[in-house]
Amino acid sequence: MITLKWNTGFQNGIAEEEIQRSWQTLWQRNGAGSDFLGWLDPEVIASEAILSEVEKVADRLKKQSQCVVVAGIGGSYLGARAIIEALQPMFPDENAVRIIYAGNHLSEDYLAEMLAYLDGVDYSIVVISKSGTTTETAVSFRLLLQHCQQKYGVEQASSRIVCVTDKCKGALKKMADQNGYTSFVLPDEVGGRYSVLTPVGLLPIALAGINIRELVRGAVEMKREIREMGLAHQAVQYAAFRNTLWRKGITMEVLAAFEPRLQYFIEWWKQLYGESEGKEGKGVFPAGVVYTTDLHSLGQFMQEGNRIMMETFLYVQNPSHTCKVPAMEDDSDQLNYLQGRRINEINQKAYQGTVLAHEDGGVPSLTLEIERLDAFHLGQLVYFFEFACGLSGYLLGVNPFNQPGVEAYKKNMFTLLGKKGYETGRDALLSRISSKK
Ligand code: PA5
């Protein structure tokens, strides 16, 4: 179960008719970006046929690999990593298939060290790109492909490569068809950042040994809950909370977890809200922290810095393990007052203390309490945030399903690299760069 708790009291400042309108726009699929609402139906995008095929391919790859490289960026990467890091053991068995990532940056050192590591292990590659032309992913895949073919030969390499891409267009689709790579389709009606419950997320997650059926069941259950409760649902309240505060001049939301394994879930959430809302000069900037770690760094700012933020706590009620503070005869570290108490109790008191301290510091906040971290609850949370994001974007008055701004850096990069078709304006860019020296 996921429960929303108001920590600082909340007075909804958005008229019910306005919320009702955004709700209708979403469900009736007649608003901006409505071609990209396939994620509203997890039971369709993750049908039985897709789940079985994903599991079959994951089993095959696992049998032949000590490591699987997942190559993708943004929406073609973060959802999988969010779920995998939240659920896989933090100190995995050395015989478990290791998932590593590529294609999500352009670090030469990382890629060189990764290839050196792959010399010594049996591996497979899952390359994920809807467009099939994203530079970071395509460059990494070219390196991986060459390495894999040199290591295993062209034919065996082909059986170690799986693509997730568009159903008919793009360079990756063409390569998959030409070389007979197993491939999965990223449906047209699902954008990258909403794609975790398609093979984009499901295949890497299944490779990590996580139960993808439970993940999807959680999402389907959250959809049912939202449909049944309508505007009274907590996802709607969350969307209203952030829009009410945005209208009062609060321009940042900090998602704060008390579990380090949720770090990449926060990264996924940052992309979801950042790309969906940050346009036309609008939007709440999504930031994230992992406490208690960040209470020793950003905690100062949260308590006393510029009052521009609201805070959403993610709190997991039940850990999966038990670990208690041991006794020490001479109490030299002065911790015997905690002797015999669970670490989780200390974490809980840190959480409660933080909520109260930040309330005193003037930060409006709410908490999403998650019963436990498992595939089902994460599936619920994914759908909760996706739905709230679509609704929140419509309340903000933007198209929550496009990302026109991400093209600007690419255009400059292509011009500077001399890509065909991007010649115009090269001199102007070069002179702007040299003027900065
Ligand atoms: O959410 C998005 O649309 C983006 O983050 C894309 O997923 C990301 O840029 C990767 O694109 P592609 O899958 O085409 O390689």
Side-chain angles (χ1 to χ4, degrees):
M1 201 157 89
I2 291 170
T3 315
L4 185 154
K5 291 198 165 155
W6 302 110
N7 296 322
T8 46
F10 168 60
Q11 212 158 18
N12 180 13
I14 317 284
E16 185 162 333
E17 309 79 72
E18 208 183 323
I19 301 178
Q20 178 74 36
R21 222 174 16 250
S22 296
W23 166 278
Q24 299 282 17
T25 305
L26 207 47
W27 286 117
Q28 290 174 1
R29 301 168 203 241
N30 56 12
S34 60
D35 289 348
F36 294 100
L37 289 176
W39 57 271
L40 273 174
D41 304 316
E43 69 285 4
V44 175
I45 57 169
S47 65
E48 175 55 38
I50 291 170
L51 291 173
S52 306
E53 194 51 30
V54 165
E55 285 168 338
K56 204 173 88 193
V57 172
D59 282 348
R60 175 170 67 76
L61 293 189
K62 279 200 280 188
K63 281 195 189 109
Q64 65 191 21
S65 318
Q66 294 164 286
C67 168
V68 179
V69 190
V70 175
I73 193 167
S76 291
Y77 147 76
L78 277 167
R81 191 161 189 179
I83 305 299
I84 292 170
E85 304 236 336
L87 295 182
Q88 77 176 1
M90 283 173 281
F91 302 94
D93 187 310
E94 60 182 25
N95 295 319
V97 176
R98 182 172 177 202
I99 309 290
I100 64 171
Y101 301 91
N104 54 325
H105 51 68
L106 290 163
S107 164
E108 186 162 339
D109 282 346
Y110 181 95
L111 290 167
E113 288 183 26
M114 178 189 72
L115 294 176
Y117 165 74
L118 293 175
D119 284 342
V121 290
D122 273 322
Y123 72 95
S124 301
I125 303 164
V126 175
V127 53
I128 307 169
S129 177
K130 186 172 190 178
S131 62
T133 53
T134 300
T135 310
E136 290 87 339
T137 306
V139 165
S140 302
F141 182 53
R142 184 184 275 214
L143 285 165
L144 285 162
L145 180 61
Q146 188 198 49
H147 186 277
C148 195
Q149 288 179 338
Q150 280 168 359
K151 181 165 173 149
Y152 296 106
V154 172
E155 200 177 317
Q156 229 211 92
S158 298
S159 70
R160 290 179 174 272
I161 294 168
V162 177
C163 304
V164 184
T165 189
D166 188 85
K167 70 171 183 303
C168 53
K169 58 179 191 294
L172 189 56
K173 172 66 186 157
K174 205 166 142 199
M175 283 171 86
D177 288 349
Q178 274 170 0
N179 297 289
Y181 304 144
T182 301
S183 55
F184 288 94
V185 171
L186 205 179
D188 285 344
E189 61 277 15
V190 183
R193 60 189 174 277
Y194 292 84
S195 69
V196 57
L197 300 175
T198 72
V200 169
L202 295 175
L203 181 59
I205 292 167
L207 281 161
I210 294 162
N211 188 334
I212 54 174
R213 287 169 190 272
E214 278 298 287
L215 187 72
V216 174
R217 191 171 73 82
V220 171
E221 174 60 21
M222 182 55 73
K223 175 185 173 184
R224 188 195 57 74
E225 231 183 55
I226 291 172
R227 296 290 290 174
E228 265 177 35
M229 291 182 65
L231 300 196
H233 194 273
Q234 297 169 342
V236 180
Q237 293 172 6
Y238 171 65
F241 169 75
R242 52 204 314 289
N243 273 276
T244 299
L245 291 169
W246 152 257
R247 291 178 193 188
K248 289 184 174 165
I250 302 282
T251 53
M252 182 186 290
E253 179 180 4
V254 178
L255 187 66
F258 277 77
E259 279 296 333
R261 64 195 324 159
L262 285 175
Q263 188 185 340
Y264 271 89
F265 192 86
I266 292 172
E267 293 303 318
W268 170 81
W269 172 89
K270 279 160 63 177
Q271 187 203 354
L272 182 65
Y273 282 78
E275 269 192 351
S276 299
E277 295 193 333
K279 50 198 74 157
E280 299 171 32
K282 298 182 192 173
V284 175
F285 184 85
V289 287
V290 175
Y291 293 154
T292 59
T293 311
D294 289 330
L295 287 170
H296 296 257
S297 59
L298 289 171
Q300 170 60 37
F301 198 111
M302 293 303 295
Q303 194 64 43
E304 295 180 349
N306 194 356
R307 303 295 73 185
I308 50 172
M309 76 287 268
M310 61 187 102
E311 194 166 23
T312 296
F313 291 96
L314 282 184
Y315 186 72
V316 180
Q317 289 166 316
N318 300 297
S320 310
H321 304 282
T322 302
C323 187
K324 291 182 179 175
V325 178
M328 186 187 274
E329 214 167 290
D330 65 359
D331 195 20
S332 51
D333 57 7
Q334 297 171 15
L335 282 180
N336 273 359
Y337 79 104
L338 295 174
Q339 178 187 319
R341 290 158 83 173
R342 289 182 66 176
I343 304 298
N344 190 48
E345 185 192 339
I346 307 174
N347 202 29
Q348 186 201 44
K349 299 304 172 233
Y351 154 66
Q352 291 169 342
T354 306
V355 166
L356 296 178
H358 291 183
E359 179 181 357
D360 293 343
V363 180
S365 79
L366 60 81
T367 297
L368 294 174
E369 281 190 359
I370 306 148
E371 204 179 316
R372 59 174 43 80
L373 270 191
D374 56 21
F376 176 77
H377 286 91
L378 281 170
Q380 285 195 309
L381 204 56
V382 161
Y383 197 89
F384 178 100
F385 277 128
E386 287 182 346
F387 182 81
C389 187
L391 195 66
S392 183
Y394 282 148
L395 288 171
L396 190 66
V398 298
N399 175 353
F401 307 110
N402 67 2
Q403 54 284 329
V406 301
E407 296 309 314
Y409 98 91
K410 291 185 196 168
K411 191 172 161 288
N412 288 346
M413 177 177 75
F414 293 149
T415 304
L416 291 168
L417 286 169
K419 186 173 176 174
K420 201 161 166 240
Y422 289 84
E423 295 82 3
T424 319
R426 186 156 198 270
D427 290 346
L429 288 183
L430 289 172
S431 101
R432 277 173 67 191
I433 289 169
S434 58
S435 74
K436 292 184 194 307
K437 279 179 189 157

